[in-house]
Amino acid sequence: MEIWPAFMLLSKTRFWKQLGIWVIVQNYNSILTLSHLYRSSDALLVHENDAVHKICAKLMNIKQISFRDINQVLAHQLGSVFQPTYSGEGSFHYRRNPLGDLMENLVPHPEFKMLGVRNIPQMSENSLAYSTFTWAGLLKHLRQMLISNAKMEEGIDWQVRPPLSGLPTRGKMSLNKESHFNTSIANLVILRGKDVHSAELGAFKDPALYTSWLEPVHAFSVWKTQRAFSKYEKSAALVSNSQFLVKPLDTIVGKAWNMFASKAYIHQYTKFGIEEEDFLDSFTLLEQVIASYCNLGF
């Protein structure tokens, strides 16, 4: 996963000469940027570049993937969340403050700010012409994407199951295991399209999906509209505050730590006023974020 930095250490005219260094220090840039954003933001809606690239290749069937293709997938994901929806069941008024509603539904504690987006279906126009969907099928796949931490419909691990009720290890996450149940703090499902009011969402209200300190009635929300999104007759988006980012974030922090321990490329930062203490502050904050998400449910 890459998290693009909010600042550039190199001037535009020197960028291509220094591209090799830029790639090497991207983990530094990621931890510095993300820690700063975490301190100054109420929530972070995170997209993983590697996951978006796979969506382009495997779901959209794009052979030569460009930045435009990646941006179109990102725009689709954001549009599926922020296009208008009704403010409540049976309402004829669209919600006027979707960002505020998103915060209210998904960020119940200021220590947990990481939000991820999943969409279903997502495919090329050629494939869409020969496809039909049911709400039951879409939501079954979307729920399994959530609990198995799959970023797209292809390659879902159907072996992952919610833990049995009452087991104390429900929220504990092992970073060494390939597959793990993805515990959530809160989830928001957004449904758009035909017969949307017939969709059954009980499976997303299962207490086993959530941390023990928040009741499912407060942890799960749904937004709806009968207006179709893009060219999909039925579509669903899931915005989740969960453990989805723990493994990639732990990998980034680990690689950055290894470089920092040997003082590699630190001089590239100190000459621009970024001191070693800034790195240490970033490591401390992000390691606390990782630990907090790892221990959901305890």
Side-chain angles (χ1 to χ4, degrees), residues 33-246:
T33 303
L34 187 55
S35 62
H36 176 77
L37 289 173
Y38 214 81
R39 291 187 185 97
S40 58
S41 303
D42 294 313
L44 301 177
L45 194 59
V46 180
H47 297 272
E48 299 175 52
N49 283 0
D50 290 348
V52 175
H53 194 277
K54 288 180 181 178
I55 289 173
C56 289
K58 295 182 178 297
L59 300 186
M60 310 304 290
N61 296 320
I62 300 172
K63 303 304 180 184
Q64 300 292 328
I65 299 169
S66 66
F67 281 113
R68 179 181 177 85
D69 297 321
I70 290 175
N71 287 336
Q72 284 182 333
V73 171
L74 293 174
H76 178 91
Q77 292 184 342
L78 292 174
S80 69
V81 175
F82 292 111
Q83 284 288 306
T85 56
Y86 290 116
S87 58
E89 194 71 37
S91 173
F92 294 98
H93 301 284
Y94 287 112
R95 57 185 73 249
R96 297 183 177 182
N97 184 20
L99 283 175
D101 293 342
L102 197 74
M103 283 290 302
E104 181 180 349
N105 292 151
L106 293 173
V107 190
H109 192 289
E111 190 172 347
F112 300 94
K113 303 180 182 181
M114 298 290 193
L115 307 181
V117 181
R118 295 173 176 84
N119 294 92
I120 190 170
Q122 198 161 358
M123 59 181 61
S124 67
E125 289 190 17
N126 292 335
S127 300
L128 183 60
Y130 303 99
S131 303
T132 57
F133 307 100
T134 65
W135 286 119
L138 290 175
L139 293 174
K140 178 181 179 181
H141 282 73
L142 188 62
R143 181 180 185 270
Q144 193 64 26
M145 289 168 66
L146 169 66
I147 67 176
S148 65
N149 200 20
K151 303 304 187 298
M152 58 185 183
E153 187 174 358
E154 183 175 324
I156 295 175
D157 185 352
W158 290 95
Q159 301 303 311
V160 178
R161 292 287 185 270
L164 297 176
S165 179
L167 289 183
T169 57
R170 181 173 72 185
K172 189 70 174 178
M173 182 175 190
S174 171
L175 296 174
N176 298 319
K177 293 184 179 179
E178 280 298 318
S179 61
H180 167 80
F181 175 75
N182 181 41
T183 302
S184 297
I185 295 174
N187 291 308
L188 167 65
V189 170
I190 302 161
L191 305 179
R192 302 178 185 276
K194 185 179 180 181
D195 301 324
V196 68
H197 296 296
S198 67
E200 173 53 51
L201 292 156
F204 286 91
K205 302 175 184 178
D206 182 356
L209 272 60
Y210 299 97
T211 182
S212 60
W213 49 262
L214 195 63
E215 294 294 327
V217 66
H218 302 300
F220 176 70
S221 305
V222 58
W223 298 353
K224 298 178 182 179
T225 177
Q226 294 185 39
R227 183 179 293 274
F229 177 66
S230 190
K231 298 182 179 180
Y232 299 97
E233 182 183 67
K234 299 182 179 74
S235 64
L238 171 69
V239 189
S240 178
N241 188 342
S242 68
Q243 295 174 318
F244 79 100
L245 200 63
V246 168

